[in-house]
Amino acid sequence: MRQRSRLTALALAGFVVLGAGSIASAPPAAAAVTVGDVVVTPTADGLEDGFGRLVVDVSLQSGEAIPDQIFNGVHDDVWSVQMERIDEAPWATSAERPEQYFGWFGLTRVSGTATDGVWRGTITATPWHTGRWQVTQIETYAFDAVDLGDRDIVIELGDPVAGPPWVTQPAFGTPVKVVTGNELWTPRARVTDRSAGTSIRAPWTPWRGGDPFNLPQSTLPVGTPLQQADAGGYLTLPAQPVVGAGGELDRPFVHVYGRYGSRGYAWHAATALFPYVKWQANSRFAVSGRTVTVTGNAWPAPAVYDAANTNIHLQRLVNGTWVTVATSNVRESGRYTLTWAGPAGQVILRIYKPGGSEYYGLDRSEGTKLASVTLTLR
């Protein structure tokens, strides 16, 4: 698999991580700031009603005035007080990459003075944030980052073992044969109850990854136009080219919400969708004495679309069982070469191009087996 961009890796690992940094450069730091008490209320919320209001109060002291409103991003969209997940999300399926970072954006002074006061931030947690979190740092335009990891401020959201009530997973259909990358595929997923496996007619919305400043919202107000899964829990996006306008990794995400009456919608689940690709191949056999050389092409060529697993095998039929005798890789151009020195006599050979899966099973391919050939080696 060719090296893929860090932004894409972040998007697939946590459906985009905002707390990793900002594209904006901060102004020169003010006078040194002392961070006193950092209090999160509450430290546990079962999210039974789909929402959890978390308040952080930060005591700050400085020799120079601190603005009444402080934040850590040119658009107030990078966390000022950051938490990191400290569990391994045992509830997560292979198709889920739970959020790894969470936190408070802007902070507003609620008491004291500009040089000795308390600044407050409020966020709403949802079932998708289920897990155990620890406050790790505070950083704003007013002062440099301060490590809070040694203060053991731990917050528990939802049921960290059972997980959110719903799960969303890709629904793979018939694999697509790809030659040019312009072939169409239809992204599809299914929403089910995590414990019972029954279908959920859940509200959902699509989102395309790649822009960390354009994330889906954790909560949405009443009246937000959302699509709805069908009676079987299936949700389907319009057909689109295997290689999207944004390149090979221009992949759609689906975000599922629970409806809570007048309170609006809360984020419940998410997954990324990749094309399910069918490998194709041809082969040309050449014999020189007891040496067999096989050349050919496999589709999709990795230069067109990097389908999972570029391995290709030469197999020999031995006592009714196909045994791999040589292995190579499909080159960027789609061409491959396999060489094997066999025993004298008649042999039955074939090319086997296996499929595979990557990105935690989200990116899949199906293999192909070519017709066998009988050769005589001397």
Side-chain angles (χ1 to χ4, degrees):
M1 177 68 69
R2 300 192 302 277
Q3 183 64 39
R4 291 173 167 174
S5 72
R6 179 175 181 274
L7 178 59
T8 299
L10 287 174
L12 291 172
F15 303 113
V16 177
V17 174
L18 275 182
S22 170
I23 60 172
S25 58
V33 171
T34 299
V35 179
D37 292 336
V38 177
V39 179
V40 178
T41 309
T43 56
D45 191 312
L47 304 177
E48 294 88 355
D49 63 354
F51 301 88
R53 183 175 183 269
L54 298 179
V55 178
V56 63
D57 287 314
V58 182
S59 174
L60 300 174
Q61 296 80 41
S62 175
E64 297 183 11
I66 300 173
D68 285 347
Q69 293 186 323
I70 50 179
F71 54 93
N72 184 30
V74 66
H75 299 300
D76 192 17
D77 48 16
V78 180
W79 291 302
S80 296
V81 181
Q82 179 174 288
M83 296 189 292
E84 294 185 20
R85 180 181 291 276
I86 57 173
D87 64 8
E88 295 184 358
W91 48 267
T93 67
S94 61
E96 295 177 291
R97 309 267 47 90
E99 299 285 86
Q100 300 299 306
Y101 299 91
F102 191 36
W104 294 263
F105 297 110
L107 303 176
T108 301
R109 184 165 63 87
V110 293
S111 66
T113 68
T115 57
D116 186 357
V118 174
W119 278 254
R120 176 174 294 171
T122 303
I123 53 173
T124 300
T126 67
W128 185 240
H129 298 112
T130 292
R132 299 183 72 243
W133 303 85
Q134 181 172 356
V135 177
T136 54
Q137 74 169 34
I138 178 172
E139 180 180 12
T140 78
Y141 273 1
F143 52 88
D144 293 333
V146 176
D147 186 2
L148 303 174
D150 60 354
R151 300 200 184 191
D152 197 30
I153 306 170
V154 176
I155 294 87
E156 184 171 298
L157 299 174
D159 186 331
V161 176
W166 299 346
V167 57
T168 305
Q169 297 175 295
F172 296 103
T174 303
V176 180
K177 295 180 179 179
V178 177
V179 177
T180 67
N182 294 318
E183 296 83 1
L184 298 181
W185 69 292
T186 302
R188 198 163 181 249
R190 189 177 185 223
V191 187
T192 57
D193 181 275
R194 190 177 298 273
S195 59
T198 52
S199 59
I200 303 293
R201 297 196 68 183
W204 66 279
T205 185
W207 175 75
R208 300 204 79 86
D211 183 356
F213 299 104
N214 186 26
L215 284 174
Q217 299 296 311
S218 296
T219 62
L220 297 170
V222 174
T224 301
L226 296 177
Q227 301 180 62
Q228 184 167 302
D230 65 20
Y234 290 98
L235 48 94
T236 305
L237 280 70
Q240 54 193 267
V242 168
V243 178
E248 178 188 331
L249 287 165
D250 184 13
R251 295 290 161 245
F253 294 78
V254 290
H255 297 275
V256 173
Y257 291 82
R259 183 186 291 108
Y260 293 89
S262 62
R263 299 191 64 188
Y265 301 88
W267 197 7
H268 270 245
T271 195
L273 300 177
F274 281 73
Y276 180 28
V277 172
K278 170 71 173 178
W279 278 103
Q280 302 175 86
N282 61 22
S283 60
R284 294 175 290 276
F285 286 78
V287 177
S288 177
R290 290 165 48 187
T291 299
V292 177
T293 301
V294 190
T295 58
N297 291 79
W299 301 273
V304 172
Y305 179 76
D306 207 355
N309 189 10
T310 59
N311 287 342
I312 191 164
H313 305 306
L314 174 62
Q315 295 186 322
R316 178 190 178 192
L317 187 62
V318 180
N319 298 324
T321 300
W322 287 103
V323 178
T324 296
V325 294
T327 296
S328 186
N329 289 98
V330 179
R331 300 191 289 274
E332 287 290 290
S333 63
R335 293 186 59 80
Y336 69 87
T337 303
L338 289 156
T339 302
W340 173 63
Q346 192 175 79
V347 294
I348 301 175
L349 303 174
R350 75 174 183 186
I351 290 296
Y352 170 43
K353 175 65 197 75
S357 66
E358 295 175 341
Y359 283 136
Y360 312 96
L362 294 171
D363 187 2
R364 294 186 184 182
S365 66
E366 181 178 294
T368 190
K369 298 170 183 176
L370 301 188
S372 62
V373 298
T374 301
L375 303 175
T376 299
L377 310 186
R378 303 182 188 281

